[in-house]
Structure formats: structure tokens, C-alpha cells
Amino acid sequence: MSKRFANSGTWIDDVTGEKYHSKTGGKFYDDEDLFYAQERREKEKQKQYRYAQTDELGKYILLRVKKLPTNLDPATLARLTLLSTYIDYKNRLMINKHTVMEKSDLPRILNISERAARDFVSEVKNKYLIFRDGEMFLSKEYYRGESDKYKRDAKQKLFIQTTQDLYYKLKPREHKYFGYVIRIVPFINREFNILCHNPDETVFDQIKPLSIGEVCDILKYENSHSDRLLDGLTRCIFRADDQDQSLCAIVQSVGNGITGYGMFVNPRIIYNGSDYDRVELLHFYFPLRKNRCYNTKKK
């Protein structure tokens, strides 16, 4: 290769005109080279994102457990979470992979009135829903959490197809029940999906379930109306495994003469455990034909 030195740190190939570092041999790139290199990286990132966001239970987005905006009104939180199922790898809201979602699409996408959509935007704009260059983005601080900076955070997977099916079966006044479940995500056991005090526990017998009264307290829901809350949560229905399933189940357990009640969240909606077989076992509780077995006087 014929070459000549341009300066002490650079030499030039006389044939191609390409510049190289004199010590490392590394090639210097011009702006066009850098542009196409960035484009290739972007496409690879999209490809890897699609692979990463699919597992046995379908495509999902990530919820950052400790960063979820649980201070929001439950109906608002439900609608914001529904929007998270429409984000692309940039957290940009897309109706489909070719069509960017616009602000005018929100009433239809959220299945609410135009006035309710305006109120929703007013509540979440800038902090949770970001408008930039005519496009809408969800904050990565709350949904998806892909940044390496946050990779050690506890996360839950929210499955896209079942979440959308659930949401669109709800009437607008029922959105709050889905929002209540998102509020209580930090208490969902990672392996068994029961609401508990120790969500990282992997031994079932060591789990300390939340009582119905404690669930009401966390949600700031009046204990005397717990019937209404439990009925609302167990009546939220979606389609999976060719049958209607409920969002939550209240399961009775009896041991040593003591009757207890535990609340489970359907793993077809939210799950991030390590053992898929455990998910299959949990499915026993969620078909619509199941009996609700809870006593609201128990705590």
C-alpha cells in the first residue's frame, strides 16, 4: 500500500485517499461515513429491541417498579400505561410501525371523550408525556427503563396484546381498576404474582401475603367498600388461551385451622419471574368461570 504522512499522527493512502492513524492504523471517517455508521447502529438497535421485547408470553414493555407514577389518579395511570403499549424503541408513540400517533388520536386510542383527553394531557404533559417536534414520547424514567444506568432496577413485564385487550373491554369509568393494579405493582411477587410484603421472595412458603385490608390501605381505598374494589378488579376481563380471564383473583387458603385470602395478578398481563411453569400453574385461578372466594370482613 502506497502511503504518505500528512502529519506526525496521520498518513494517507495514495490510492484511495483514506486517512489512517499512524500508530494504531485506525481509519478516519468523514461525515458521510459517520452518518451511515450511525444509521446501521440504529437499525441494529431496533432489531435487538424487537428480539428483547418478546418471550413466551408475547411482546411486552418494561415497567420500572420503583419509578411508577403511583401518585397519579388511577384512571389517568391506566391510560398512561395503555399508551406505553404503543411505544417504539425510542419511546415514541406509534399507532403502528409506519404511523406516528398524533395528539388528535388520543380520544380514539384511549377510548375517552375529547374533553377527557384534554384533561389527561393536562395532567401528564411534560413529565410523563413529552411533545417534541410534532411527536409524542413517554418518559423512559417510568416505562421501559432500557438505559444501562437503570439496568439493576426491579422491573415488571407488561404484555402488550393482553393489556390492550383488557383495556378496550373496559368502560371509561372502569379504567381506574386497571390503574389500581398498576399502582400496586411494587407489591407483586416476582415469581408467584401474589400481592405481598416481600416481592423478591422466591420460596412460596416464605411469602407474606397482603391482606385485603392492607391492599385497600395501600390504594387509599375505603375498607368498608372493599367489596366494590374486589368486584371491580376480578371483573376486569381479557382474552387469553382461548378463554376469558380476569385481571385479578382472590384465592382462599386453609391451613392449621386458619383461613386466609391472597390476591393474585394474572401473569398474562404482568409477570417477570424466572420459571414459566409457575405461570402455567397460576392460570388455574383466572378463568372467568372460577368462583370468587373472599370474605370482606377478613383482614
Side-chain angles (χ1 to χ4, degrees), residues 106-265:
L106 290 177
R108 176 175 61 84
I109 296 295
L110 295 174
N111 193 30
I112 54 178
S113 68
E114 290 189 5
R115 179 177 180 179
R118 288 195 298 270
D119 291 342
F120 168 78
V121 170
S122 178
E123 189 171 355
V124 301
K125 186 177 180 180
N126 296 328
K127 186 172 184 180
Y128 309 109
L129 180 62
I130 300 161
F131 292 84
R132 186 167 63 242
D133 299 327
E135 298 177 335
M136 297 185 293
F137 299 79
L138 288 191
S139 170
K140 288 187 178 182
E141 184 174 358
Y142 305 99
Y143 296 94
R144 191 158 149 248
E146 187 182 66
S147 172
D148 287 341
K149 179 179 178 182
Y150 306 125
K151 65 183 179 182
R152 294 185 181 277
D153 280 7
K155 300 182 180 72
Q156 282 282 10
K157 295 175 182 176
L158 180 79
F159 296 96
I160 293 173
Q161 183 175 343
T162 49
T163 295
Q164 291 182 355
D165 190 74
L166 169 77
Y167 182 92
Y168 290 122
K169 281 182 168 63
L170 297 173
K171 297 175 181 178
R173 67 174 180 272
E174 297 172 325
H175 290 170
K176 61 185 177 183
Y177 293 114
F178 180 44
Y180 282 134
V181 170
I182 301 303
R183 266 191 180 183
I184 212 163
V185 160
F187 296 90
I188 298 176
N189 183 271
R190 310 287 186 266
E191 294 292 339
F192 298 99
N193 267 41
I194 187 172
L195 298 183
C196 64
H197 293 278
N198 48 343
D200 294 321
E201 180 58 61
T202 58
V203 179
F204 189 79
D205 290 342
Q206 299 299 317
I207 292 174
K208 300 175 182 178
L210 292 175
S211 69
I212 302 303
E214 288 171 328
V215 171
C216 290
D217 291 342
I218 291 169
L219 295 176
K220 297 180 173 59
Y221 200 97
E222 181 58 50
N223 270 255
S224 60
H225 295 152
S226 59
D227 274 4
R228 189 181 305 165
L229 173 65
L230 298 179
D231 278 337
L233 294 176
T234 54
R235 289 180 191 276
C236 293
I237 302 301
F238 65 97
R239 191 77 176 169
D241 297 333
D242 296 320
Q243 61 182 337
D244 289 335
Q245 297 194 26
S246 59
L247 173 59
C248 294
I250 313 301
V251 180
Q252 183 185 69
S253 62
V254 180
N256 297 321
I258 300 174
T259 300
Y261 297 86
M263 182 181 292
F264 290 80
V265 176

